[in-house]
Amino acid sequence: MTSRRNRAVSMADVAARAGVSTQTVSRVTNGVGAVAPATRERVLSAMRSLGYRPNAAARALKRGSFRSIGVVMFDLTKTGNVATLAAISDAATALGYTVTLVTERSRTSASVSSAFTRLQEMAVDGLVLVIDSIPDDGPSYRLPRTLPLVVLDSTVVPGHARIDTNQTEGARLGVEHLIELGHATVHHLAGPLTSSIARQREASWHQVLLSHNLQVPPAVYGDWTSLSGYRGAASLLEDPGCTAVFCANDEMAIGLMHAAQDAGRSVPGDLSVVGFDDIPLAGDVTPPLTTVHQDFTEMGRACITRLATMIATDESDTATQLIPTSLVVRASTAPPRSTARTS
C-alpha cells in the first residue's frame, strides 16, 4: 500500500478531508461556480492542512490561459536591453504574468521562428520581440503569427504591434540643446550602422543641423560601449572646431568624456557632451552627463498592456506607439568658451 507521504496530495484527498465532492474542490480551486462561504473555508482549510498545491498546468488548460509571456532578445550585454527586460518583467508581474526569456545570437527569420516555437512549447500566451538591429535576412524578414506579438525598438519588422522610444524626438532635444548654447555645429558619435535605433538618431541629428543651416560634420561610429566612445574621441578631438558632441548613448558619451579629459580637454569648458538613455551612471560621472531620458518603465508597461489586451480580446494590433523622451540637463554642457567670454 502506498503511503500518502510518498505521493502528491490529490483533489480527492482534499475532498475527503473537507467532506465535500471533488467538483466542489475544483470550483474553489478555479474560482468558478457558487460555493457557500463556510464550505469554501472548509475546503481551503483542508488544502492548507494537507499541503495541497493545485496543478497550474491543468488549471491553465482549463481556462485557456497560462498567464505567461515569452520574450526573445539578442544581447543582454547592452545596458538598454537589460533595462528594457527589467521593465517588461515588472509590468508583467504587476498584471499577474510570468516571463520566460529566450536569447538568440542570430537575427534571421529562422532563428527567431525557432525561439518562438520553443516558447510556445513552454506554454505562453503571447510574445515580445526586442530587436534593435537590422535582421540578417533584411527585407525578407518574416515573423510567425501564431500568437499575439509586440515588437520593441525596431522599425524593420512591419505588420506587428510596435513600441519604441521616440528616437527622432530624443535626438532633436539633445542636438537643439547644444545649438541653443551657441555651438557653431554639433558633432555626432553614432551607434553601429547595423542598429536601426542608431540610424534613427543619426538621421535626426543630421536633419536638425540642416534645419538650422549648420555644417554637418562627418559622423564617427562606435559600438555602444564606453571603449568605442573613448577610441572614437581621437578623430573628434583632432578637429579644433569640435566644441559639442551628441552621442548615441550614454556609455559612449562617458568614454568620450574620459578621452577628452585624458587629452587635457575640459568638459564642458572645451567640449560639451550629450548622451542618450539616462542610465543610472550618467548622473554619477564627473561632470554629471546631460542626456536624453528614455522611459524604460513606461516602455515595459505599454508593451505588456498592449500584449495583455491582444491576448484577452484575440484581436490583432499593428499600430506603432512611441514613448516620449525628455532632456535631463546636467553639468557636461555649457556655451562654447568664445560665447561665454563675450556673454
Side-chain angles (χ1 to χ4, degrees):
M1 181 174 178
T2 303
S3 169
R4 179 174 295 169
R5 291 182 179 180
N6 296 327
R7 64 176 176 82
V9 177
S10 70
M11 192 176 292
D13 296 328
V14 175
R17 174 67 65 91
V20 298
S21 67
T22 56
Q23 289 87 348
T24 298
V25 175
S26 177
R27 285 196 291 271
V28 172
T29 300
N30 292 291
V32 296
V35 179
T39 302
R40 181 183 301 278
E41 182 53 40
R42 200 161 69 247
V43 171
L44 292 174
S45 177
M47 289 179 179
R48 288 191 292 268
S49 65
L50 293 173
Y52 175 70
R53 296 291 183 271
N55 187 313
R59 291 171 67 193
L61 287 171
K62 186 169 184 177
R63 67 174 179 256
S65 172
F66 297 96
R67 306 300 294 179
S68 181
I69 289 170
V71 177
V72 177
M73 189 174 280
F74 298 92
D75 189 349
L76 284 176
T77 65
K78 296 177 183 175
T79 303
N81 279 357
V82 173
T84 299
L85 180 60
I88 290 171
S89 179
D90 289 346
T93 299
L95 289 183
Y97 285 90
T98 59
V99 171
T100 300
L101 172 67
V102 170
T103 57
E104 281 287 339
R105 287 187 174 274
S106 169
R107 291 170 172 80
T108 63
S109 300
S111 67
V112 175
S113 294
S114 174
F116 282 1
T117 298
R118 296 202 303 277
L119 284 168
Q120 286 180 268
E121 291 171 352
M122 297 177 194
V124 299
D125 301 305
L127 299 164
V128 176
L129 173 63
V130 182
I131 178 169
D132 68 345
S133 295
I134 297 169
D136 298 339
D137 43 359
S140 63
Y141 203 75
R142 295 291 183 272
L143 295 176
R145 296 179 178 272
T146 52
L147 284 175
L149 168 66
V150 175
V151 180
L152 264 71
D153 284 356
S154 179
T155 60
V156 294
V157 189
H160 298 275
R162 174 175 167 255
I163 306 286
D164 195 6
T165 291
N166 192 330
Q167 311 291 348
T168 299
E169 172 196 61
R172 178 186 59 78
L173 290 173
V175 177
E176 289 190 341
H177 169 66
L178 293 167
I179 294 172
E180 289 167 0
L181 288 172
H183 293 276
T185 190
V186 178
H187 288 64
H188 185 39
L189 180 53
L193 288 170
T194 54
S195 168
S196 62
I197 62 175
R199 288 190 173 188
Q200 290 177 71
R201 293 172 191 177
E202 181 182 359
S204 182
W205 158 77
H206 189 276
Q207 182 56 45
V208 171
L209 292 184
L210 291 180
S211 68
H212 285 269
N213 297 314
L214 299 179
Q215 175 193 1
V216 181
V220 174
Y221 296 92
D223 62 7
W224 299 125
T225 65
S226 60
L227 179 59
S228 72
Y230 191 97
R231 290 172 173 169
S235 60
L236 292 168
L237 297 177
E238 286 177 357
D239 183 350
C242 179
T243 63
V245 182
F246 167 62
C247 302
N249 79 336
D250 288 346
E251 291 181 60
M252 291 194 299
I254 291 168
L256 169 65
M257 289 199 300
H258 286 162
Q261 291 159 353
D262 287 349
R265 301 277 293 274
S266 70
V267 177
D270 298 314
L271 184 71
S272 285
V273 180
V274 172
F276 200 119
D277 284 338
D278 195 21
I279 62 175
L281 184 60
D284 294 333
V285 293
T286 303
L289 178 65
T290 295
T291 185
V292 177
H293 176 74
Q294 284 202 84
D295 195 337
F296 290 109
T297 299
E298 183 56 32
M299 282 189 67
R301 184 183 299 116
C303 170
I304 297 304
T305 298
R306 290 274 294 279
L307 188 57
T309 299
M310 294 166 66
I311 292 169
T313 62
D314 198 27
E315 294 181 358
S316 61
D317 183 349
T318 60
T320 293
Q321 180 178 353
L322 298 181
I323 306 301
T325 58
S326 59
L327 183 69
V328 180
V329 178
R330 299 191 178 105
S332 68
T333 53
R337 286 193 188 277
S338 58
T339 302
R341 290 192 187 114
T342 58
S343 59

